[in-house]
Amino acid sequence: MSRIGVFICHCGENIARTVDCARLAEESGKLPGVMVSVDYKYMCSDPGQNMIKRAIAEHKLDGVVVAACSPHMHEPTFRAAVVQSGMNPYLCEMANIREHCSWVHTDRELATEKAIDLVRVMVEKVKRNQELFPIRVPITKRALVIGGGIAGIQAALDIAAGGHEVILVERQPSVGGNMARLSETFPTLDCSQCILTPRMVEVARDPRITLYTYAEVEEVEGFVGNFKVKIRQKAKSVNADICNGCGDCWNKCPMKKIPSEFDAGLGYRTAIYVPFPQAVPNTPVIDREHCLKFLKDKCGVCAKVCTRGAIDYEMQDEIIEAEVGAIVVATGYDLYGIGKEQPNERWKGYGEYNYDTYKDVINGIQFERLLSASGPTQGEVRRPSDGKVPKSVAFIACVGSRDPEKGIEYCSKICCMYVAKHAMLYKHKVHDGQPYIFYMDIRAGGKNYEEFVRRAVEEDGVLYIRGRVSKIYKDGDQLVVVGADTLSDSQVQIRADLVVLATAMVPHKNAYEFAQKIGIACGSEGFYSEAHPKLRPVETMTAGIYLAGACQAPKDIPDAVAQASAAASKVQLLFSSDELEREPIVAKVNEVTCVHCRNCIRVCPYSAIDDKEIRDRHGNLIRMVAEVNEGMCMGCGTCVAACPSKSVQLAGFNDEQVFAEILALGHE
Amino acid sequence: MRFSIDSEQLESGAVKRVEEMIQQSPSVCYQCGKCSAGCPVHYLMDIPPNVVIRLLQMGQTDRVLESRTIWVCASCNTCSTRCPKEFKIAECMDALRELALATGKDTPSEKDIKLFHREFLKSTRRFGKVHEASLAAFYKLKSRHFFADVGAGIKMFFKGKIRPIPHRVKGVREIRQMFEAAGYGQKVEQ
């Protein structure tokens, strides 16, 4: 005979408003096997928990049912409480009479009846609960950081500083990401490369960090503490061990007119190239799509001029396999592509801004390159069409952002600030120039941000015009920008020599496919989802995978760095113990009845079930069965449903328990 | 309303003059609207005070100088007192009135207000402080609004608010010197 205690919570008014808790306690007390049944205003409070603890001792209870909110909220609370009285935590269950009852019903009588049913069901389950003990799995104390922008660099450095090995994978030939392309950074106007390049160098130098550039993560398998990853090292066609980065090859390469990705198409690069002078590593790669050797089997100049014989046209992609315990995803963002061609059906371009047609309508990153000393104009602001120094520049904020019609509803967060910075830097370089900014709101929430924007207006004479731009058309060699100023209720026209569009930050173009590949979730707009928007901002729903930087949401450099350090500290927290404790709610195969039909192996969404050989003491194979890897099993129960011989059972939710619940529900 | 902006307008003399007169740039205004919110004569204005500042920021001085607003402004200083950016809006209005008179852009519809301003200053110069009875008399003669506000005038008279005989302050000479120093004679002629 069981000795169960039932504890009913009023949750203030949340439950008591709709459910007659006193009657529920009375009815629950009559259930067979229930020794004590009480109700209380706040069961989760200290007095409430003490009530449970005392009852366990007084009535020698062997099972507890707490009828309260969702187990998502307070199951850990109550399980911890019963442990203090010496009870196994898995003998405590919750009946959800709030979300499943009081919040969704209005009729007090019927809701109370339903609550009684819910308690009865849970009492029948708890009678059949068994003691369970946490599963321990070993942890591989090595981290994988995906993406070598500022967030990835910061995360890698922090984890390495904690004494752990890090594998940093970057898709481009150099680390640095988008931050390396910026000229100056708001709100302090310090040079982006000056503050970034020391970090890049450090990443390459740190013996605990293994850096793979021009590489991509192909496959992620396994689970927290025990991931197996495959990394594709794309063929660089240059032997990095021999190359000394002298630059003879790219200086002699005849393919000089390839638009440079780093300069956002405003400058050119060669077919064998390093993306920018401070690249880390400073080893060139051959872009096989543009190299004459690969296109027509001609040229071969780079191999001829290389004094060290580092050029290797035969080089093949290589798959590197590694075992890691944690993964930090820092894959960054892309820029919304203004023009008519869009990567998906949701997004529409701005035909009215003529970005595709007019050379002097450029985007924010292109303007950064025009301002940058390492850019195509060596830092002089010259417009792309004729190289003239523009005497008036119109900056347009919210191009893409906050425009549901174009498919992007969110605010890209950083544009208000970089537009102010652009206008300011332009004015610092062209003293007699006039910057205009068309905007909807100025969102300058951040340390010293508002002050920065006011400085642009009051000291540098930037004219803010509050309204979206309707169209941009050409008149002579100038561009006419037609906008509005809602502050003075007027339509405004401006003649500008150059127009800079502050384009939205959008998820990386392969973000969705990549999320599927590594098993994390995306929001509807395509940014990776954190486990909780407030309380778990750097974790994903997949244990052991963390987020850093703009792959999670648009953010500026300080925020990206902060998140990267937070992710790194989460990784170090994970690595601080040798073993990981997991919930014992996992499937187990009965090897006696298993016929090795392999149904469970096929249906398992986590690839947690594998074949197992059963051998006699001489090592002869007797037969095969299925075996669940306790470290990987997430307790979803798919295998239980699929097993034709009922040989798989889920601990904590076995057939006996579930059927008892169903029968209790049918009982009148 | 529709207009084009170019850098010449932004640098135009009128805005510069206002800046010199009040020793402050309209660019400090961030258009919160608190001046318009508290203005007691807002309902008589054609454009609200914050829009006056906005148009100055955009170099649209003609529209400002032609507006009723700058003449309707009673210089009560509520706007300046409450401005979070400490912009001297009432002083700016005064500067704009002066500029409007100087450039002849002042709007003809508000001629009574200008007349009143003139008579007020004349009276102040003469007696060292304003003499209501003679001010009212001169204003009525010149504006030809003989019977306006007569009821209120009679009430004020019986409450002792209007003295029939003017009182001259002690330092009237110094006050006149102040008028001359500010270039009063030339400005009235303009």
Side-chain angles (χ1 to χ4, degrees), chain B residues 54-105:
Chain B
R54 180 65 187 153
L55 290 167
L56 286 179
Q57 290 177 339
M58 313 232 301
Q60 306 300 309
T61 38
D62 286 0
R63 289 216 40 233
V64 174
L65 296 179
E66 287 160 11
S67 73
R68 286 184 66 179
T69 300
I70 57 173
W71 295 106
V72 169
C73 168
S75 301
C76 71
N77 260 306
T78 307
C79 47
S80 304
T81 312
R82 294 190 180 156
C83 175
K85 295 283 285 177
E86 299 179 65
F87 185 64
K88 294 174 270 190
I89 302 147
E91 273 186 50
C92 180
M93 293 290 182
D94 205 32
L96 287 167
R97 282 192 288 267
E98 211 171 291
L99 209 61
L101 286 174
T103 53
K105 292 235 165 81

Side-chain angles (χ1 to χ4, degrees), chain A residues 232-457:
Chain A
R232 174 179 292 272
Q233 172 67 64
K234 289 181 279 182
K236 292 183 175 178
S237 314
V238 176
N239 188 333
D241 296 333
I242 310 175
C243 171
N244 62 359
C246 67
D248 284 349
C249 53
W250 67 78
N251 286 329
K252 292 277 156 46
C253 177
M255 298 296 286
K256 294 201 189 299
K257 286 283 174 187
I258 305 163
S260 157
E261 295 85 358
F262 189 78
D263 281 337
L266 291 182
Y268 298 107
R269 64 164 171 85
T270 46
I272 183 165
Y273 71 108
V274 289
F276 56 104
Q278 304 96 318
V280 171
N282 191 30
T283 320
V285 298
I286 294 181
D287 167 12
R288 294 188 172 183
E289 279 174 27
H290 290 99
C291 173
L292 282 177
K293 183 76 186 171
F294 290 93
L295 290 174
K296 298 178 180 166
D297 196 21
K298 285 180 182 155
C299 187
V301 167
C302 47
K304 279 174 220 156
V305 298
C306 182
T307 50
R308 309 193 40 121
I311 311 288
D312 178 3
Y313 297 122
E314 306 298 315
M315 197 180 270
Q316 295 294 318
D317 286 8
E318 200 185 323
I319 301 291
I320 297 154
E321 291 186 22
E323 288 184 7
V324 295
I327 299 174
V328 177
V329 180
T331 48
Y333 65 94
D334 269 348
L335 282 181
Y336 162 76
I338 316 167
K340 287 189 183 110
E341 270 181 42
Q342 293 293 332
N344 60 46
E345 287 172 10
R346 262 183 315 151
W347 296 347
K348 295 185 190 74
Y350 284 84
E352 62 267 40
Y353 292 171
N354 283 304
Y355 176 75
D356 294 330
T357 10
Y358 301 155
K359 275 188 167 178
D360 293 331
V361 180
I362 61 175
N363 70 15
I365 198 83
Q366 288 174 317
F367 194 68
E368 291 282 350
R369 296 312 300 149
L370 289 185
L371 291 168
S372 171
S374 71
T377 55
Q378 279 79 46
E380 273 186 69
V381 183
R382 294 186 174 280
R383 62 182 199 176
S385 64
D386 53 8
K388 219 178 82 180
V389 175
K391 291 296 172 198
S392 67
V393 180
F395 297 91
I396 301 172
C398 288
V399 177
S401 313
R402 304 173 71 198
D403 193 338
E405 198 270 327
K406 304 293 184 200
I408 300 173
E409 280 185 60
Y410 56 85
C411 162
S412 292
K413 198 174 176 192
I414 61 162
C415 323
C416 285
M417 291 308 295
Y418 79 65
V419 162
K421 178 192 77 175
H422 281 171
M424 212 185 231
L425 290 174
Y426 163 68
K427 188 74 183 176
H428 292 177
K429 297 207 169 189
V430 184
H431 300 304
D432 58 344
Q434 179 59 50
Y436 303 92
I437 296 178
F438 288 89
Y439 74 106
M440 292 210 293
D441 301 283
I442 304 175
R443 297 184 168 178
K447 198 172 180 179
N448 293 322
Y449 284 12
E450 171 68 14
E451 297 91 319
F452 181 80
V453 172
R454 292 315 303 169
R455 209 170 97 206
V457 177

